[in-house]
Amino acid sequence: MFEFRQFTVDDSRCDMKVGTDSVLLGSWVRLANPSRVLDAGSGCGLLALMIAQRAPEATVDAVELSGDACSDALKNISKSRYHSRISVINADITACDFASGYDLIISNPPFFTEALHSPSAGRAVSRHEGVFGVEWLVNNAGRLLNPLGSLAFIAPSARDSEIEYMMELSRLNLLRRCSVIPVEGRPAKRTLWQVSPQRLYPAEISSITIRQADQNLTAEYKNITSEFYL
């Protein structure tokens, strides 16, 4: 059970547990008063709740394949003050015929492409990219977004060049990119991306370090997540 400032998250049935990746993505993404938001691969509903908190006028479609994860999401959302604005949809997002016009798509997707090694079958599916993953998001963003909408996601930094190539093929423009350094002095392990069919503003390139060498959280990480952590 995780206590945030304005909601509580139980991920006990979810294969992918609450972690820094989603908290950082939901805190970092730039919002432009979205009305319709798609949380793709919602898991226990954390990102949907974060966006609902940050965007008071937004409605969120939280789509998740796992029935167990959806059970967690439904419970978490039903207990929150945002329950009337979030719809939990238990479905395979790659097989759904969604109407276009989302202002924002946000996702902490499966993104590992090597062979499956996780002892948990559910966790392996959650962590490893199959039909749904980074490539699916990039390929389908133009179809699902309104012309001024954006896609925000997180992926391993080792895939940066590959993702840039995918974006070029899909004619998406980089809005923001942030390299996530887990510990001061170490290389980046994750990259936060926000892209759009339109070049809405000059691309912003940045980095953030989560922990100092002594393992204490950095001031910049505390600041960016301050709306959520107690």
Side-chain angles (χ1 to χ4, degrees):
M1 190 78 71
F2 292 84
E3 296 282 345
F4 294 90
R5 285 188 182 275
Q6 296 189 25
F7 53 83
T8 300
V9 171
D10 179 1
D11 62 359
S12 57
R13 299 186 65 183
C14 195
D15 290 305
M16 284 305 298
K17 304 303 182 183
V18 169
T20 302
D21 285 359
S22 286
V23 174
L24 192 52
L25 176 60
S27 302
W28 172 85
V29 61
R30 175 178 286 179
L31 303 182
N33 300 315
S35 293
R36 296 184 65 227
V37 178
L38 173 63
D39 177 9
S42 187
C44 62
L46 173 58
L47 281 171
L49 287 162
M50 294 179 77
I51 296 302
Q53 177 181 322
R54 291 187 58 199
E57 303 302 318
T59 59
V60 184
D61 291 335
V63 182
E64 171 56 47
L65 176 62
S66 165
D68 286 341
C70 278
S71 294
D72 280 347
L74 283 166
K75 178 170 63 176
N76 295 331
I77 289 162
S78 67
K79 292 180 178 179
S80 78
R81 67 183 70 179
Y82 312 115
H83 61 88
S84 64
R85 293 193 286 116
I86 304 174
S87 300
V88 178
I89 302 168
N90 185 189
D92 178 354
I93 194 168
T94 67
C96 293
D97 186 19
F98 288 104
S100 60
Y102 283 104
D103 303 302
L104 173 70
I105 300 171
I106 191 166
S107 184
N108 179 6
F111 45 53
F112 291 112
T113 55
E114 68 272 17
L116 306 185
H117 296 299
S118 172
S120 163
R123 182 171 170 80
V125 169
S126 298
R127 288 175 60 84
H128 289 79
E129 186 168 353
V131 176
F132 173 64
V134 175
E135 186 171 5
W136 187 91
L137 288 165
V138 171
N139 288 344
N140 287 275
R143 174 176 65 86
L144 295 172
L145 289 169
N146 74 46
L148 299 180
S150 66
L151 162 67
F153 62 95
I154 187 167
S157 297
R159 298 187 67 183
D160 283 359
S161 295
E162 176 191 358
I163 290 170
E164 288 174 349
Y165 181 63
M166 290 181 197
M167 288 168 50
E168 184 177 349
L169 292 179
S170 296
R171 298 184 178 180
L172 294 178
N173 297 281
L174 177 66
L175 300 180
R176 305 173 74 217
R177 186 179 71 208
C178 180
S179 299
V180 181
I181 300 164
V183 180
E184 185 179 12
R186 296 185 185 176
K189 282 296 194 71
R190 298 281 189 267
T191 303
L192 298 162
W193 299 84
Q194 190 160 5
V195 303
S196 174
Q198 300 293 325
R199 194 176 300 279
L200 302 177
Y201 46 80
E204 300 176 5
I205 310 297
S206 64
S207 65
I208 185 170
T209 301
I210 297 175
R211 293 187 181 275
Q212 301 170 349
D214 61 7
Q215 295 299 313
N216 287 319
L217 293 171
T218 63
E220 61 180 340
Y221 180 77
K222 289 180 181 179
N223 181 61
I224 199 173
T225 59
S226 61
E227 288 185 66
F228 300 102
Y229 281 139
L230 294 169

